[in-house]
Amino acid sequence: MINETRRSRLILYVVLGLFALFALAPYYWVIRTSFLTDFAAINPETNYLPALKNLTITAYEQIWERYNFVTFFSNSIIVSVTATVISLFFSIPGAYAFARLDFPGRKALFYTAVFTIMFPWIVITIPVYEVFFILGLINTLTGVIIALSIFVLPQTIWLLQGFFRQGIPENIEEAALIDGHSELGAFLRIVLPLSAPAVGAAALFAFLTAWNNFLWVFVLTSDEEVRTATVALHYILGSDVLRQWNILMASVVLLVAPPVVFYGLSQRYVGEGLGGM
């Protein structure tokens, strides 16, 4: 019986290991290609484990120098961080109101917000563009930040209201009111600190959504000075007649790095926030 259990575990680990190798192979290919020379990147005879003579960091140097990636990278950070802060500023009290307060139209407003998550945003690109054009927000970082903040707001409201409803018992607030706190004081001093895991998870999802967004930045910008890295990657992809895959993969690695770092810093909060602990 023990041998059968060990054999079953061994087979399971082997299958999981093969699946992990299959799933991680494309990511390894991206990183490997970003460190190859121009010729080695397009040479079909280059092995998955390339020789040291074919490895270089020239692609990363060129992506910064030739394509003004510093500007694109900075714009992405500014837009993503600001949109995350704005969405949390409005979604935290909004989600708390949906979870705790009883007011006319509460369910209708909440389901409307949830419906916008499933709505195909590409359908309303023309009306959104016209509104932003009238307001003078085309080709501005302010316009991109406002658009992305509106885009991620329903997601953060949906995530946080579930935590407020299931993760924090109402008797905690009742005890705070008995101790002399006002409703606002109970929220700021007790509920909000206890909601740090959910706020961290919501911030992570908001940042990832804003960072990876392509549609709104592509629609609302045409000047190079206000492009983000995701849109810049689209133009880099079609910029050269002889495509340099090592430069393209280097830009992909740089584009993925900040979300990975952000996730590593907030990982401890994600499980608790999504689990309603």
Side-chain angles (χ1 to χ4, degrees):
M1 185 66 179
I2 296 178
N3 292 333
E4 292 181 0
T5 302
R6 291 179 177 178
R7 189 180 301 109
S8 300
R9 287 183 178 180
L10 179 61
I11 295 174
L12 176 63
Y13 291 151
V14 170
V15 172
L16 291 177
L18 293 175
F19 179 78
L21 290 176
F22 179 78
L24 294 175
Y27 300 96
Y28 169 75
W29 186 89
V30 169
I31 298 174
R32 156 196 169 275
T33 306
S34 68
F35 286 102
L36 292 178
T37 61
D38 293 343
F39 178 75
I42 61 175
N43 186 5
E45 296 181 359
T46 303
N47 295 325
Y48 244 58
L49 294 175
L52 292 177
K53 64 179 181 179
N54 292 329
L55 299 178
T56 179
I57 61 172
T58 305
Y60 290 92
E61 297 174 351
Q62 292 182 1
I63 197 66
W64 291 106
E65 297 173 358
R66 290 172 50 186
Y67 296 100
N68 196 22
F69 211 72
V70 175
T71 301
F72 307 142
F73 204 76
S74 301
N75 290 341
S76 290
I77 293 177
I78 293 172
V79 166
S80 301
V81 172
T82 308
T84 299
V85 172
I86 292 175
S87 64
L88 290 178
F89 180 79
F90 288 101
S91 63
I92 291 175
Y96 183 77
F98 284 128
R100 286 289 192 265
L101 304 182
D102 188 11
F103 55 89
R106 177 175 65 91
K107 290 186 177 180
L109 288 174
F110 176 72
Y111 287 121
T112 300
V114 174
F115 173 74
T116 58
I117 301 176
M118 301 175 286
F119 192 81
W121 287 85
I122 194 171
V123 176
I124 59 173
T125 51
I126 295 178
V128 169
Y129 182 88
E130 291 182 352
V131 171
F132 277 66
F133 180 79
I134 294 173
L135 297 176
L137 296 175
I138 300 298
N139 280 327
T140 63
L141 288 180
T142 303
V144 175
I145 291 171
I146 293 175
L148 293 181
S149 300
I150 297 173
F151 181 71
V152 302
L153 186 61
Q155 302 178 35
T156 52
I157 289 178
W158 173 75
L159 179 62
L160 289 173
Q161 74 84 29
F163 184 88
F164 287 138
R165 186 185 302 274
Q166 301 177 5
I168 300 180
E170 294 185 16
N171 55 14
I172 294 180
E173 299 158 76
E174 295 174 357
L177 295 176
I178 294 175
D179 289 340
H181 292 286
S182 63
E183 292 185 359
L184 180 60
F187 173 73
L188 294 177
R189 296 185 179 182
I190 298 176
V191 176
L192 193 57
L194 292 175
S195 305
V199 173
L204 174 64
F205 281 97
F207 180 84
L208 293 178
T209 302
W211 181 272
N212 294 324
N213 185 272
F214 175 85
L215 176 64
W216 292 123
V217 183
F218 183 76
V219 170
L220 298 176
T221 63
S222 59
D223 294 341
E224 190 173 288
E225 292 75 14
V226 292
R227 287 176 188 164
T228 59
T230 51
V231 176
L233 184 61
H234 165 73
Y235 287 100
I236 293 173
L237 180 63
S239 61
D240 296 324
V241 177
L242 180 60
R243 187 167 297 154
Q244 295 176 278
W245 287 104
N246 53 344
I247 294 179
L248 179 61
M249 294 301 106
S251 61
V252 171
V253 172
L254 293 175
L255 186 63
V256 173
V260 172
V261 173
F262 192 11
Y263 176 77
L265 296 176
S266 58
Q267 183 180 8
R268 55 176 297 190
Y269 298 106
V270 175
E272 297 179 4
L274 295 179
M277 300 297 293

